Amino acid sequence: PPPDVDVADTGVVVGDLRLRPASEAPPPPSGGPGPGPASTPSATAPGDGEVDAVRSLEDLRSDDSQCRALAARRLPSIAAAIGPERTRDELLPFLCDGSDDDDEVLEAVASSIPGLIPHVGGPEHVVCLLMPLELLLSVEEGAVRDKAAEGAVRVSASLGDEEYASDYAGMVHRLATGEWFTSRISACGLLPEGLPRLRTGGQRRRHVADFAGLCRDPAPMVRRIASRNLGKMLYAVASVEGAPCLLPADGGGGDDGNGGVSILPLLDLYEFLAGGDQPDSVRLHTAENCVQFGRAASLLLSTAGDVMSDADPDEWTPTIDVLVRRVLP
């Protein structure tokens, strides 16, 4: 075997990863043929998965980037072979060490991480998959970030509400306020996607404030992606808050309270991003939000009647007029 693979009775070691020894493998089914000097492992024999895992682990350290990319696509098989504990304690830190900077390999890793959800030891451990995703969401190559964003959304769907609000929303906040513009670009799409699952008004207000900061980011490429997602954020706020978001926010409730979120600051951002002093690409993406704005307007107008019955008509009439004038093209 290669010099970095130890197949002694103590187990199989590839780099920093060690597979369980053969003595720990489950016994063969009763009545089946026992091991013999001339026996050949069958497709269902114990250890077949471990052999494939060893080969894939070796390939992850190959000098050939194509070989590493193929191995990265087999991460779920590797995790199944080495078990949940070593997946969490060894495989995921290995993916986070930053030693591989090949875009094709990183894209394959980003695509495979959601496949690790069943192999980390249960729902309480799924949050550990955010660690490599946060790094991949900050790399320079856009295709890698896109795959990582897709993976982050899939992983977040397996998180409980508490982990979602603390760990996942915390990750998105760090991306939105990060030093590198690439992480802020990734946050532009994750913020609207994540808002509906936040339980308190304080959490949603921070989410919207982070998005507003991206809309006014000094980097034009960040503003361009933020402007593309402005309609999604406005619709997310409208779907969660309902008709009261047409009114100015009262600012009550504190960071953890249930004070509402208003869409009026988002309309201010629309006018800012559509202004003549913005690059053409920013203004173009801003104008393309009109479909989402129209959906939000239809949703809000359909629900406003329930609230209007308990409100002063002099308060609601100008608000709806503002909605029509500022949201609809």
Side-chain angles (χ1 to χ4, degrees), residues 86-256:
R86 285 196 167 93
T87 296
R88 298 192 306 268
D89 297 342
E90 301 173 24
L91 180 58
L92 292 179
F94 170 76
L95 297 177
C96 294
D97 69 2
S99 61
D100 203 320
D101 59 358
D102 184 88
D103 292 337
E104 184 179 2
V105 177
L106 296 178
E107 186 175 350
V109 170
S111 299
S112 296
I113 287 179
L116 299 179
I117 293 174
H119 304 297
V120 292
E124 67 272 19
H125 294 295
V126 172
V127 69
C128 69
L129 297 176
L130 296 179
M131 177 174 57
L133 285 171
E134 185 168 356
L135 297 175
L136 293 168
L137 286 163
S138 300
V139 301
E140 184 175 358
E141 175 55 44
V144 177
R145 296 198 307 271
D146 290 345
K147 287 295 183 183
E150 294 174 9
V153 172
R154 290 177 59 187
V155 169
S156 71
S158 298
L159 297 175
D161 289 337
E162 183 176 347
E163 290 80 8
Y164 189 94
S166 59
D167 296 289
Y168 181 74
M171 179 194 76
V172 176
H173 174 70
R174 290 191 298 274
L175 292 170
T177 57
E179 177 182 0
W180 299 103
F181 77 90
T182 50
S183 73
R184 303 199 299 275
I185 286 177
S186 294
C188 291
L190 295 177
L191 285 164
E193 186 79 30
L195 184 133
R197 274 199 64 182
L198 297 177
R199 305 295 291 272
T200 70
Q203 293 167 348
R204 294 193 292 272
R205 284 196 299 275
R206 187 178 80 160
H207 229 55
V208 174
D210 284 342
F211 185 80
L214 296 173
C215 289
R216 299 182 182 275
D217 195 276
M221 61 281 289
V222 177
R223 295 200 305 276
R224 182 175 71 247
I225 305 303
S227 67
R228 182 187 301 171
N229 288 277
L230 179 58
K232 294 179 181 178
M233 177 58 84
L234 188 142
Y235 186 82
V237 172
S239 63
V240 172
E241 301 287 344
C245 74
L246 291 165
L247 299 175
D250 57 15
D255 290 342
D256 297 323

